[in-house]
Amino acid sequence: MPRRSSVTILGATGTIGKQTLDVIARHPERFNIFALTANSRAEELHTQCLEHSPRYAVVLDESAAERLKTSLQKAGSDTEVLCGLSALEFVSAHADVDVVMAAIVGAAGLKPSIAAAKAGKRILLANKETLVMSGSLFMQAVEQGGATLLPIDSEHNAIFQVMPEKRSKDLSTSGIRRILLTASGGPFRNAALSDLDNVTPEQALNHPNWVMGPKITIDSATLMNKGLEVIEAHWLFNASPEQIEVVVHPQSVIHSMVEYIDGSVLAQLGNPDMRTPIAYALGFPERLESGVSSLDLFKIGRFDFEAPDTVKFPCLRLAFDSLRMGGTAPTILNAANEIAVDAFLNRKIGFVDIPVLIESVLSRMKSKAAETLEIVIEADQQARQLAKNWMLER
Ligand code: NAD
Ligand code: MG
């Protein structure tokens, strides 16, 4: 029997983390868990540790780590509890790890993802913020470390599935004309511009098709999620902004498409369930049972398509702008967005303030060449500070 793959799940208590454990639990003969990590939810991580017996559990929060240590000891578990950012890097780069699921939300995922890339792991990348913040450095680390990068974001996973297996670095010499990145349009697709003034976090958290963590759900409502995904597609597939078209497809069944120079358009379809891309990346190049039900086309009945409205949703335009600007501009966009989303969820700013805040921070900072991680982190920190100042000043 071949050796089982040893998996670290960064962000195990999140939506993607839990769905990854669901898929892995269907294939105990193929995978074992090396490490599970969480920010602070020690109780949930405790339950996961008892179920999956990882060698390590990592918690960011110190008091949560102490609680987990005590509770696991009481339960007779062998799992060793570690704490802090360096421990996240340790379980991402450890020699005994084969696969790292990068499913931490936000900029916090950057350093452990880079550690996994440098150590040459198979990286299942859900944390799109890593590519938005430091796409150039991360792709370099993947190449230098000899890592295998498999996208988990459903759109990018779909694109990966319908791209030619052997392709050159240049899309056009691989016969590709453009990428059609689909978007659900979010909960406010049909809302009038004036209705957006009074949007509450509860309304914005009510996504029509996907169940996801709060940050990405708000990003989906503002269309920033699609903007981040445009930048993600740029780095993953070496696509220029002109080669990426966003197509609103409210059914969320076509997860994205690739158009070839002969006019062929290849799409990947399926129920909106992240266990499909997760199983694809875990099994690649083999296919694994994921628990996802069959697509019922008769029930769906029709597919609709429309162009995105960037007047109603300026975040998409801002993301394209930052990609064209290059350098640290996407880092700044991402950092300002993280602060804005958090402030909106905590009722400190309104829904329509999100793009206003981001645009203000982008206009007040100069983009620099993103040559080192220090430059990227400095831009991230400065943008966060300016975003906080924006809220104080207004
Ligand atoms: P989530 O909020 O449900 O989970 C986030 C996880 O990250 C949790 O385990 C949490 O403990 C951990 N975490 C949060 N802050 C941390 C910190 N500072 N340090 C260490 N760990 C921390 O989020 P999610 O929906 O699972 O999304 C995770 C990532 O995957 C995001 O980057 C998101 O954009 C991407 N993604 C998610 C989906 C989806 O369907 N949920 C789809 C595509 C991409
Ligand atoms: Mg997506």
Side-chain angles (χ1 to χ4, degrees), residues 11 13-16 39 103-105 108 126-129 153 212-213 274:
T13 52
T15 318
I16 294 288
N39 189 22
I104 289 175
V105 59
N127 177 256
K128 62 191 87 187
E129 292 90 349
D153 216 341
M212 308 180 287
M274 289 306 290

Side-chain angles (χ1 to χ4, degrees), residues 64-74 79-82:
E66 282 309 316
R67 285 206 309 278
L68 183 63
K69 221 178 256 179
T70 314
S71 70
L72 283 177
Q73 261 165 15
K74 264 194 199 151
T79 299
E80 190 175 329
V81 179
L82 306 175

Side-chain angles (χ1 to χ4, degrees), residues 128 153-156 210 212 216 225-226 229 232 274:
K128 62 191 87 187
D153 216 341
S154 58
E155 296 77 3
H156 306 75
W210 296 95
M212 308 180 287
I216 180 174
N225 183 49
K226 214 44 57 181
E229 290 183 358
E232 187 184 7
M274 289 306 290

Side-chain angles (χ1 to χ4, degrees), residues 227-308:
L228 301 179
E229 290 183 358
V230 167
I231 301 169
E232 187 184 7
H234 163 76
W235 290 112
L236 285 171
F237 306 114
N238 199 26
S240 68
E242 293 70 34
Q243 286 171 316
I244 306 168
E245 173 137 51
V246 173
V247 179
V248 175
H249 161 52
Q251 288 84 5
S252 295
V253 169
I254 299 174
H255 298 306
S256 276
M257 298 171 261
V258 170
E259 183 183 311
Y260 287 83
I261 49 175
D262 61 3
S264 294
V265 177
L266 301 194
Q268 186 261 355
L269 284 71
N271 285 322
D273 187 323
M274 289 306 290
R275 290 176 302 175
T276 296
I278 291 167
Y280 179 84
L282 279 170
F284 181 79
E286 272 176 66
R287 296 275 178 175
L288 298 183
E289 169 63 47
S290 66
V292 176
S293 56
S294 277
L295 184 62
D296 187 343
L297 284 171
F298 301 124
K299 199 166 151 202
I300 295 155
R302 55 184 274 180
F303 290 159
D304 293 299
F305 305 102
E306 57 194 63

